C-alpha cells in the first residue's frame, strides 16, 4: 500500500502565498509522477500541476506563472508553491501520485485533500 500525507494550505488574503507538501510512503518501487489537483464547491476536480520522474512539469493555464511544482526526497515528495493567490484558487487541493509498487504494477493514489481559502 501507498499513503500520501499532505500538509500546508489554510486561509490567506488575495495576493498572498501558500505552500503545499505531499509525502508518499509505503510500498514504493518507483514513482512515475506526482502532482496536485483541486476541486472547488460545485465543480469537477481539475489539474493544477504535475511533475514526472524526468523533471517535466505541466500546469493548468489558470496557475501558470503563479504556481511552481517541485519534487524532492528521491521523488517521493512534491511541493507546490502558490504565489499571487486569487479568490478563484479557493478549493480542496488533492495530492496525486502514479506509483509502481512492483516492477510491473502501478496505480493512482490520492491524498485526502487540504483546504485552501483565498479571501478577497
Amino acid at each position: 500500500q501507498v499513503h500520501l500525507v499532505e500538509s500546508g494550505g489554510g486561509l490567506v488574503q488575495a495576493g498572498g502565498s501558500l505552500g503545499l507538501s505531499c509525502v508518499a510512503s509505503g510500498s514504493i518501487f518507483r514513482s512515475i509522477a506526482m502532482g496536485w489537483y483541486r476541486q472547488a464547491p460545485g465543480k469537477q476536480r481539475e489539474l493544477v500541476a504535475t511533475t514526472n520522474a524526468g523533471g517535466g512539469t505541466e500546469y493548468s493555464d489558470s496557475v501558470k506563472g503563479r504556481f511552481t511544482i517541485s519534487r524532492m526526497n528521491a521523488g517521493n515528495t512534491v511541493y507546490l508553491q502558490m504565489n499571487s493567490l486569487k479568490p478563484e484558487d479557493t478549493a480542496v487541493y488533492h495530492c496525486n501520485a502514479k506509483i509502481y509498487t512492483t516492477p510491473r504494477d502501478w496505480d493512482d493514489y490520492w491524498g485526502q485533500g487540504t483546504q485552501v481559502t483565498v479571501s478577497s
Side-chain angles (χ1 to χ4, degrees):
Q1 267 291 0
V2 174
H3 300 281
L4 302 183
V5 178
E6 301 149 330
S7 60
L11 173 64
V12 67
Q13 288 188 330
S17 298
L18 283 174
L20 303 179
S21 293
C22 175
V23 179
S25 63
S27 302
I28 299 172
F29 177 75
R30 180 166 62 90
S31 173
I32 305 169
M34 294 185 73
W36 293 92
Y37 291 70
R38 67 186 181 188
Q39 187 165 19
K43 294 187 177 181
Q44 289 188 332
R45 188 174 294 186
E46 63 174 1
L47 169 72
V48 177
T50 62
T51 178
N52 60 36
T57 58
E58 179 182 355
Y59 295 91
S60 71
D61 289 342
S62 62
V63 307
K64 279 181 183 176
R66 299 188 297 123
F67 291 10
T68 302
I69 190 169
S70 58
R71 291 178 74 172
M72 55 195 82
N73 189 26
N76 292 335
T77 299
V78 65
Y79 185 76
L80 184 69
Q81 178 64 39
M82 304 182 292
N83 298 329
S84 303
L85 282 160
K86 304 175 181 179
E88 50 264 45
D89 293 317
T90 295
V92 177
Y93 284 68
H94 295 270
C95 179
N96 171 263
K98 294 173 173 53
I99 291 176
Y100 275 94
T101 53
T102 73
R104 297 172 58 181
D105 302 311
W106 72 276
D107 208 342
D108 252 327
Y109 297 91
W110 292 92
Q112 290 190 329
T114 184
Q115 178 70 46
V116 172
T117 303
V118 184
S119 63
S120 57

